[in-house]
Amino acid sequence: MTTSRTRISKAVIPAAGLGTRFLPATKATPKEMLPVVDKPAIQYVVEEAVTAGLSDVLMVTGRNKRPLEDHFDRNYELEQVLRDKGDGTKLARVEESSDLATMHYVRQGDPRGLGHAVLCAAPHVGDQPFAVLLGDDLIDPRDPLLARMTQIQEQHGGSVIALMEVDPASIHLYGCAAAAPTGEDDVVKVSDLMEKPSADEAPSNLAIIGRYVLDPAVFEVLRKTQPGRGGEIQLTDALQALASDPSLGGPVHGVVFRGRRYDTGDRGDYLRAIVRLACEREDLGPDFRDWLRSYVSEEM
Ligand code: G1P
């Protein structure tokens, strides 16, 4: 068994997708840069990794993704203008994203699926457990998920995935897990995984949400994983192999998340995420909620 229990410090964020659901906004701008209130979606994800103690972040990017690199780098000209104006608040906002984490980038080249994107991280990650965060899922910082997952990984070794109970009618949008209870209320042992099953095939209503803490053995499995659903190399299929044979890289556990998650994957979800997050904001929330209440009562 290659189960490894080193302290986890690296996060991998796949960001090579074309974002076609948001065209034309994503014609020349990566979808990860679309603002959620006033921050690009990707910054929430990097902040989440850093809060969980993972300050080495590798982004798996592709063509047209330069704005991502620029966002997490210094912008000396803008900083100087704001400094000259004495606008410390805005200066801090500009500097925030470049001071967040140690950023690294690798290009995926051919977009051959999430499993392939994760495999592109192998040379950077090396031989230690690491986290994967998908940018379409935002997790509320008040409901820490990743820190709990790294804790479970350190306790049991192997890999840990984030699960959430969803309406069975929407399980076909997710990877789905068959799992057994453990002694802990929010932790299950995963025995089977299926990528985007139909409601009839689904072994449960436990959906994989985009957070993973993986044993590096997953790379060897991914190298052998054949294209699956959609003709893509699926991370879920590699995890299924790990779950069904723990001698490959330890067990697979799931942390069942019951906190606040905001999906930004399609236009409707993206709008809902912005409204929810804007309502929650201390600076914008009170006015925005008042406006929303009167808008809804007048317009609906
Ligand atoms: C990916 C994974 C899927 C997971 C989902 C979570 O699918 O393949 O298993 O449930 O992310 O957001 P995608 O939504 O990228 O098609």
Side-chain angles (χ1 to χ4, degrees), residues 114 134 136-137 173-175 195-196 208-210 212 234 236 261:
L114 177 59
L134 306 188
D136 285 348
D137 290 291
L173 300 171
Y174 300 93
E195 179 67 4
K196 306 203 171 102
I208 305 176
I209 52 172
Y212 309 78
Q234 296 291 349
T236 304
R261 161 181 172 262

Side-chain angles (χ1 to χ4, degrees), residues 60-136:
V60 184
T61 68
R63 278 173 289 282
N64 295 330
K65 299 288 181 167
R66 274 296 294 277
L68 288 174
E69 298 189 29
D70 290 341
H71 183 71
F72 293 101
D73 198 356
R74 304 293 298 268
N75 183 334
Y76 291 109
E77 201 184 1
L78 180 56
E79 287 170 28
Q80 196 54 52
V81 170
L82 294 170
R83 209 170 281 119
D84 292 345
K85 282 188 179 166
D87 196 335
T89 311
K90 290 204 180 96
L91 179 62
R93 302 216 77 194
V94 167
E95 288 175 334
E96 217 176 9
S97 53
S98 45
D99 292 342
L100 252 183
T102 309
M103 303 297 299
H104 306 270
Y105 302 89
V106 63
R107 284 206 180 204
Q108 190 178 359
D110 292 330
R112 290 167 55 204
L114 177 59
H116 178 247
V118 171
L119 190 51
C120 293
H124 179 80
V125 167
D127 188 24
Q128 51 178 302
F130 64 103
V132 174
L133 293 86
L134 306 188
D136 285 348

Side-chain angles (χ1 to χ4, degrees), residues 136 212 235 251 281 300:
D136 285 348
Y212 309 78
L235 180 58
R281 282 269 294 256
M300 305 288 151

